[in-house]
Each structure stands twice: as structure tokens, then as C-alpha cells.
């Protein structure tokens, strides 16, 4: 068992409290989260001089999307009641209840390239009006790594190009693109 697999066991136990392991949504979530965790570890290697917490990166990457089941996005099997953009703060609430406040912040702050209070208000997003932008190194690494992978069933392991990520983020404002490229400069 490698480091990634060993560290994943406790997060998988938490995910199984909210997702039935035989469902397609669980499989999609776990495969996406593994891809994000692997990318986060590669980024951590590139910035090892900054001493990122590798164990935390894997744990938080595995849990960052825990709130998706509470949202609706039918193409991936989410049948909840809230818009998909809410999965970050909903995941935060779940992980705070699990006694994981730092992991919870990763959930809330990873959506898009983070979302500022101003962006929430300007775009009338159905989110609590507060800054939800990555602050710690580990939060930034996971948010950055997450942008490279979709939850598309047919391309779960395909890494997006920087140009594809830029196109997707640009639909949500220049602040999103600017934050991503700040991280890209630091992490590549």
C-alpha cells in the first residue's frame, strides 16, 4: 500500500457515511478525488521548499467534494436540492460536524478559484456572503489541482489543459482567472 492509499482510508470511511459505495456517484467522486490528490502531491513536490503537509493534502483532496450529494447536477447523478455551486459550503458544514474544521475550510474555499464576498454579491450567487477564497498553501494547492479534473464520466482521469481551465474560469470573471494564474506561476 503506497502513501496515497494509506492516507485515503479514513476519508473513505467518512465518504461512506454519506454515499453508498456501490453507486455511480460514489465511484465518480472517489475517482475524481484520487486524481486531485495525485495532482496535489505532484504540486507539493514542486514546492517542497514551502513544506506543504502531504498527509493533509491527500485527506482534504479526498473530502473536498463531499457536499455534492446535497446539490443537483443530474449529469453526474447529484439529486440534492441546492445549486451545485453550494457544494463547497455544504461540505464545510458536513466536515465541521465530523470534527475536521481545517478540511472543512478546503471544501468551502475550493469552488472555482475561490469566490470572494464581492463576487458572491455581484453575481447573486446562492452562497453565504463571505469570502470563500483559499488562504493556506494546502487550500491553494487543492483548489489548483481540482481545476485540472472534471467529474465527466467519460474523462474522469483526463487532465485539462491550462487553456481549457482559463476558458471555464473566465465565464465567472477575471478574478477567477487571475487567482488561478497566480497559483499556476507558483506551482508549475
Amino acid at each position: 500500500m503506497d502513501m496515497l492509499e494509506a492516507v485515503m482510508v479514513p476519508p473513505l470511511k467518512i465518504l461512506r457515511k454519506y454515499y453508498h459505495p456501490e453507486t455511480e456517484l460514489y465511484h465518480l467522486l472517489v475517482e475524481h478525488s484520487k486524481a486531485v490528490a495525485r495532482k496535489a502531491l505532484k504540486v507539493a513536490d514542486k514546492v517542497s521548499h514551502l513544506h506543504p503537509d502531504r498527509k493533509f493534502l491527500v485527506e482534504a483532496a479526498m473530502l473536498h467534494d463531499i457536499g455534492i450529494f446535497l446539490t443537483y447536477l443530474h449529469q453526474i447523478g447529484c439529486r440534492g436540492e441546492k445549486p451545485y455551486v453550494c457544494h463547497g459550503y455544504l461540505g464545510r458544514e458536513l466536515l465541521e460536524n465530523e470534527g475536521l474544521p481545517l478540511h472543512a475550510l478546503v471544501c468551502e474555499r475550493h469552488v472555482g478559484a475561490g469566490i470572494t464576498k464581492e463576487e458572491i454579491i455581484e453575481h447573486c450567487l446562492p452562497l453565504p456572503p463571505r469570502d470563500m477564497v483559499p488562504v493556506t498553501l494546502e487550500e491553494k494547492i487543492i483548489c489548483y489541482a481540482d481545476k485540472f479534473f472534471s467529474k465527466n464520466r467519460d474523462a474522469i482521469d483526463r487532465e485539462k489543459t491550462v487553456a481549457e481551465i482559463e476558458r471555464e474560469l473566465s465565464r465567472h470573471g477575471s478574478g477567477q482567472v487571475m487567482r488561478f494564474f497566480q497559483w499556476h506561476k507558483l506551482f508549475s
Side-chain angles (χ1 to χ4, degrees), residues 47 67 77 108 113 126 158 176 183:
V47 294
E108 180 167 283
R158 186 182 81 75
Q176 295 281 317
W183 300 331

Side-chain angles (χ1 to χ4, degrees), residues 6-22:
V7 173
M8 281 191 318
V9 172
L12 289 174
K13 286 181 182 177
I14 293 170
L15 290 176
R16 288 183 191 126
K17 289 173 72 172
Y18 300 96
Y19 295 82
H20 192 283
E22 293 176 20

Side-chain angles (χ1 to χ4, degrees), residues 4 29-43 57-58 60-62 64-65 106 110 141-151 156-157:
L4 180 68
L29 173 62
V30 170
E31 292 308 308
H32 168 74
S33 299
K34 284 180 184 179
V36 173
R38 286 189 294 270
K39 178 76 172 181
L41 289 175
K42 288 178 184 174
V43 171
L57 284 172
V58 172
M62 291 305 299
H64 78 280
D65 275 335
V106 172
H110 87 277
I141 289 173
I142 291 169
C143 186
Y144 175 78
D146 182 50
K147 300 297 100 44
F148 286 89
F149 300 97
S150 74
K151 292 180 197 75
I156 195 78
D157 288 329

Side-chain angles (χ1 to χ4, degrees), residues 36-73:
V36 173
R38 286 189 294 270
K39 178 76 172 181
L41 289 175
K42 288 178 184 174
V43 171
D45 290 342
K46 291 180 181 178
V47 294
S48 61
H49 61 285
L50 298 175
H51 309 290
D53 183 336
R54 295 172 62 82
K55 181 177 181 283
F56 179 82
L57 284 172
V58 172
E59 292 172 351
M62 291 305 299
L63 294 170
H64 78 280
D65 275 335
I66 192 169
I68 64 173
F69 76 96
L70 297 168
T71 69
Y72 53 84
L73 189 62

